[in-house]
Amino acid sequence: MISEAEIAQEPERRFQSVLDRWNKGDRSLETGLKYFAKYPTASDEFDDFYLQLSPIEQCDTTLQIMLVFRMRLDSDAKVIDYIASNWKNQYESSLHADYWKMLLSKSFKQQLEKAEGSDAFDNVCDRWREYELPFTDEDIAMMVCARYFEKGEYDRGYEALDDLMEKYPTAFPGILSKFYDLASSVNVPSEERRKIWMDYVEKFLIENTPMAVPMKEMFEYLVSPLRK
């Protein structure tokens, strides 16, 4: 009995029973959670699995966490379209709605990053505006701002940043993340530019976070000529 129990506890043996149920057509929430924990890149399979669940199961917290933090869906996955299309009547008022917003914003930005040329960029924006999500315009403004900095168009970047902060003051967490990404990769070419950069960083940190001092020091290092 001890020997049998040890075998039953082996991860591969335990998963085999899940795989057997899945291959026999079991698409229950319990089986799906275990199956996609093993296959987080099975985007097409996840589309079919998710769409056949009940609305209550689709908003299950464990499934939500897996979808947001573990699953690696294609940027054009059916699940993304479904959640965006049903945002107002199903997801906006659900538990941990911010996680759903995080998932949609992430997918939207991935599509924008893949868009080659201004026409493709605009087409993605227009398609997402049709969902009438409350945060789409904010995401677009952030991506436009980031593109200016990535291209070295600093004046237009700072102008877009001013406009972004005026229209969307609550966008700070995402801006901070974008600042970190940009400061890590973009060459800030002069002392004058570095000062402007840090003036913005300091302004945002002081207004929005108690961690202003250590975070300011981190950004000062990122744009430091010594690091370059």
Side-chain angles (χ1 to χ4, degrees):
M1 290 178 62
I2 292 176
S3 177
E4 291 296 325
E6 289 176 345
I7 293 175
Q9 291 301 312
E10 293 178 8
E12 291 301 321
R13 294 292 182 90
R14 293 203 307 273
F15 180 73
Q16 185 60 49
S17 65
V18 173
L19 188 59
D20 290 342
R21 294 199 301 272
W22 182 267
N23 289 335
K24 291 178 181 178
D26 181 351
R27 296 298 184 268
S28 65
L29 177 61
E30 179 185 2
T31 298
L33 287 171
K34 295 175 181 177
Y35 180 81
F36 289 106
K38 182 77 170 180
Y39 300 114
T41 60
S43 186
D44 290 341
E45 280 191 296
F46 190 85
D47 277 340
D48 295 337
F49 162 73
Y50 187 84
L51 296 179
Q52 57 86 44
L53 295 173
S54 70
I56 293 177
E57 290 174 324
Q58 288 172 341
C59 292
D60 177 82
T61 301
T62 303
L63 179 61
Q64 180 192 43
I65 292 173
M66 172 182 285
L67 182 56
V68 175
F69 297 106
R70 180 170 175 80
M71 289 298 300
R72 295 194 289 277
L73 300 177
D74 298 336
S75 60
D76 58 349
K78 294 177 183 178
V79 168
I80 301 302
D81 176 69
Y82 179 87
I83 295 173
S85 298
N86 292 276
W87 173 257
K88 291 183 179 179
N89 60 16
Q90 183 172 339
Y91 295 93
E92 187 174 30
S93 59
S94 66
L95 187 64
H96 305 309
D98 284 348
Y99 282 172
W100 296 121
K101 175 184 176 181
M102 184 189 307
L103 174 67
L104 293 177
S105 291
K106 176 183 177 182
S107 299
F108 178 35
K109 291 171 185 175
Q110 286 175 339
Q111 292 183 22
L112 289 178
E113 289 170 353
K114 291 181 178 180
E116 297 182 1
S118 57
D119 288 343
F121 187 93
D122 291 341
N123 288 337
V124 174
C125 292
D126 290 342
R127 188 167 70 251
W128 274 80
R129 285 193 177 102
E130 293 178 0
Y131 293 126
E132 297 183 346
L133 300 171
F135 43 85
T136 296
D137 287 339
E138 177 182 313
D139 287 341
I140 292 173
M142 289 181 61
M143 290 298 296
V144 168
C145 179
R147 283 198 162 198
Y148 285 139
F149 281 112
E150 288 165 355
K151 293 179 180 179
E153 299 178 20
Y154 291 97
D155 290 336
R156 299 183 71 180
Y158 294 131
E159 182 179 343
L161 193 55
D162 277 335
D163 186 58
L164 176 65
M165 290 306 297
E166 182 178 350
K167 289 183 178 178
Y168 310 104
T170 60
F172 171 75
I175 292 175
L176 181 61
S177 173
K178 184 56 66 177
F179 255 119
Y180 185 89
D181 292 342
L182 290 171
S184 298
S185 60
V186 174
N187 180 32
V188 184
S190 69
E191 183 62 33
E192 179 183 3
R193 294 293 189 191
R194 285 190 289 273
K195 184 179 185 306
I196 294 174
W197 191 283
M198 289 309 304
D199 285 345
Y200 274 96
V201 171
E202 185 171 3
K203 172 185 174 183
F204 299 151
L205 293 177
I206 289 175
E207 291 181 356
N208 294 281
T209 178
M211 294 290 291
V213 174
M215 296 182 81
K216 180 185 176 183
E217 292 176 351
M218 175 187 69
F219 279 104
E220 284 177 337
Y221 168 74
L222 288 174
V223 301
S224 167
L226 295 177
R227 189 181 73 87
K228 304 297 183 183

